[in-house]
Amino acid sequence: MTNFAVMNSSQSVLFSGSDMLCYTGSHKMRGLVADNPLLLPAFARFGISLGFGDRTVSDVCASVGVDCRTFLSVINFISGKPYDAGELDARTLVDYLKSAHDYFLGYCLPDIRRRLIGAISTGAPGDIALVILKFYDEYVSEVRRHMEYENAHVFSYVDALLSGRATEGFSIAAFKDNHHPIAAKLKEIKDILVCHFVADKARVDMLNALLFDIVVCERDIMAHCRVEDELFVPTILELEKQVPCVETADTVDTGSALDEHGDIMLTPRERDIVICIARGMSNKEIADKLFLSVHTVATHRRNICSKLDIHSASGMTVFAILHGLVDIESMS
């Protein structure tokens, strides 16, 4: 069923085109570029390169094997236009999001860093430049952890669903509960440069060009996160309904199945949580590290205690050491 929605004015829009109310499959692809030039990176994330001539959106999507409905939903969404949120293709969305991660981590953020070094290497005290660069590097590390977690866990979970396999102890709802925006620090860097950094006169143009690219990157990352929240998550929620026995944290089996050595088996997620407990982490710290809600972590802990009949953090630590989940030397 077609389900049209429109982003409201408070939501992040990468770039708002002006000539077209809504992009459709019958529009010329080059018309989308003319209306909204900043869509070009999004085209590339769908595997669509330049040179499409006079072909329509439908024809170009068909030529590269991209689901046109999903392509149009994403393109309209990030442009702030009415978009169809129903019956999107999960594989197309995953490939798009993975490609976006490659772009941010492999090109966009490293390029901004390189240009940031050039722009702030002025007559200002060196320690100020170092502090700004350190702040930026910490932000990039945060983004990298965020996106690598999604690549390794969220997208592999979807791959399993698409293969008809359920995955214990994980659900897309748990991901959504702990999916946080990651553009705030980039905005802070921009604000620091705009309000507090005095550039050498010879580098003002360089700094202004850098600031423009930071603004574009900031809005691009915000739009990317909203695609995950508003298009990707609902699509995977529907996919979960089609795969039998998908278990969420609240319905994880608390039975005590044994492995070949007669030891109680833990799911991969339960092992992760036991490791965190053994390292002295609180439920909040575990939730932040594993991108879960605090409630989900608490539920897992109850299930683990029930399985193992161990009800203290010190007992969990001993269990983790005895079963090789943590190295005793790393505990010191």
Side-chain angles (χ1 to χ4, degrees), residues 27 31 48 95 102 107 141 158 167 170 179 204 229 237 275 286:
H27 280 123
I48 296 173
D95 290 346
D102 291 342
Y107 173 73
S141 295
V158 176
T167 301
F170 189 86
H179 187 233
V204 169
D229 287 338
L237 284 171
I275 291 169
I286 297 171

Side-chain angles (χ1 to χ4, degrees), residues 3 53 62 94 96 108 115 133 137 143 152 185 193 201 226 253:
N3 178 21
V94 167
Y96 169 85
C108 183
R115 296 170 60 200
L133 189 60
D137 286 344
V143 173
K185 285 187 178 178
L193 293 175
K201 289 184 179 180
R226 292 200 61 82
D253 179 18

Side-chain angles (χ1 to χ4, degrees), residues 3-187:
N3 178 21
F4 284 100
V6 184
M7 294 181 73
N8 63 50
S9 58
S10 66
Q11 295 173 334
S12 172
V13 177
L14 176 58
F15 181 86
S16 181
S18 58
D19 294 336
M20 301 179 186
L21 175 63
C22 177
Y23 304 132
T24 70
S26 61
H27 280 123
K28 304 285 187 177
M29 186 67 83
R30 70 176 185 177
L32 272 62
V33 177
D35 186 62
N36 188 340
L38 294 186
L39 286 177
L40 285 172
F43 288 4
R45 292 166 201 171
F46 281 105
I48 296 173
S49 58
L50 301 179
F52 30 73
D54 243 0
R55 288 182 294 169
T56 65
V57 171
S58 294
D59 289 340
V60 171
C61 287
S63 71
V64 295
V66 168
D67 181 71
C68 187
R69 185 190 192 106
T70 305
F71 170 82
L72 287 169
S73 294
V74 172
I75 296 303
N76 280 308
F77 179 84
I78 64 179
S79 299
K81 297 177 181 293
Y83 62 95
D84 183 357
E87 299 179 7
L88 305 186
D89 182 67
R91 170 54 56 203
T92 299
L93 282 175
V94 167
D95 290 346
Y96 169 85
L97 295 172
K98 283 183 177 178
S99 182
H101 289 179
D102 291 342
Y103 168 77
F104 290 125
L105 298 177
Y107 173 73
C108 183
L109 293 173
D111 184 61
I112 287 177
R113 185 186 193 276
R114 175 182 59 80
R115 296 170 60 200
L116 180 63
I117 292 172
I120 65 178
S121 298
T122 67
D127 57 343
I128 294 178
L130 289 175
V131 168
I132 293 174
L133 189 60
K134 182 175 183 293
F135 188 87
Y136 180 78
D137 286 344
E138 289 173 352
Y139 167 69
V140 173
S141 295
E142 177 185 329
V143 173
R144 184 173 300 279
R145 288 193 301 270
H146 179 105
M147 292 184 174
E148 288 181 348
Y149 172 85
E150 291 178 359
N151 288 345
H153 298 282
V154 181
F155 298 153
S156 62
Y157 169 72
V158 176
D159 288 340
L161 290 179
L162 289 170
S163 299
R165 294 180 285 110
T167 301
E168 282 190 350
F170 189 86
S171 72
I172 204 64
F175 164 72
K176 179 174 174 56
D177 286 345
N178 295 276
H179 187 233
H180 307 297
I182 52 174
K185 285 187 178 178
L186 197 56
K187 180 180 183 301

Side-chain angles (χ1 to χ4, degrees), residues 273-281 301 304-305 308-323 326 328 331:
I273 290 176
V274 168
I275 291 169
C276 291
I277 294 171
R279 290 176 175 161
M281 298 172 67
R301 289 190 73 152
I304 294 166
C305 290
L308 302 180
D309 198 23
I310 297 174
H311 301 277
S312 67
S314 57
M316 291 285 186
T317 301
V318 172
F319 175 88
I321 293 171
L322 291 176
H323 288 80
V326 295
I328 192 168
M331 305 295 294

Side-chain angles (χ1 to χ4, degrees), residues 118-327:
I120 65 178
S121 298
T122 67
D127 57 343
I128 294 178
L130 289 175
V131 168
I132 293 174
L133 189 60
K134 182 175 183 293
F135 188 87
Y136 180 78
D137 286 344
E138 289 173 352
Y139 167 69
V140 173
S141 295
E142 177 185 329
V143 173
R144 184 173 300 279
R145 288 193 301 270
H146 179 105
M147 292 184 174
E148 288 181 348
Y149 172 85
E150 291 178 359
N151 288 345
H153 298 282
V154 181
F155 298 153
S156 62
Y157 169 72
V158 176
D159 288 340
L161 290 179
L162 289 170
S163 299
R165 294 180 285 110
T167 301
E168 282 190 350
F170 189 86
S171 72
I172 204 64
F175 164 72
K176 179 174 174 56
D177 286 345
N178 295 276
H179 187 233
H180 307 297
I182 52 174
K185 285 187 178 178
L186 197 56
K187 180 180 183 301
E188 289 182 27
I189 294 169
K190 176 193 67 179
D191 291 343
I192 289 170
L193 293 175
V194 169
C195 300
H196 306 291
F197 186 81
V198 180
D200 183 287
K201 289 184 179 180
R203 305 197 184 204
V204 169
D205 288 340
M206 182 187 297
L207 182 62
N208 287 339
L210 171 65
L211 284 169
F212 178 81
D213 287 344
I214 289 177
V215 169
V216 172
C217 180
E218 174 198 354
R219 301 185 77 174
D220 197 358
I221 290 177
M222 290 172 67
H224 171 80
C225 290
R226 292 200 61 82
V227 167
E228 292 180 324
D229 287 338
E230 306 298 331
L231 299 181
F232 174 69
V233 168
T235 297
I236 307 310
L237 284 171
E238 289 301 314
L239 181 61
E240 286 178 334
K241 296 176 183 178
Q242 302 170 27
V243 179
C245 300
V246 173
E247 296 179 335
T248 65
D250 289 336
T251 59
V252 172
D253 179 18
T254 59
S256 54
L258 305 180
D259 63 17
E260 65 272 19
H261 304 296
D263 293 325
I264 293 174
M265 293 176 61
L266 298 177
T267 68
R269 175 61 75 205
E270 289 171 340
R271 286 197 297 272
D272 289 340
I273 290 176
V274 168
I275 291 169
C276 291
I277 294 171
R279 290 176 175 161
M281 298 172 67
S282 67
N283 282 5
K284 177 66 167 60
E285 291 170 329
I286 297 171
D288 290 342
K289 178 178 175 62
L290 300 180
F291 292 86
L292 300 172
S293 69
V294 174
H295 171 72
T296 297
V297 172
T299 300
H300 273 301
R301 289 190 73 152
R302 288 195 301 271
N303 292 342
I304 294 166
C305 290
S306 176
K307 275 188 176 184
L308 302 180
D309 198 23
I310 297 174
H311 301 277
S312 67
S314 57
M316 291 285 186
T317 301
V318 172
F319 175 88
I321 293 171
L322 291 176
H323 288 80
L325 298 180
V326 295
D327 186 341

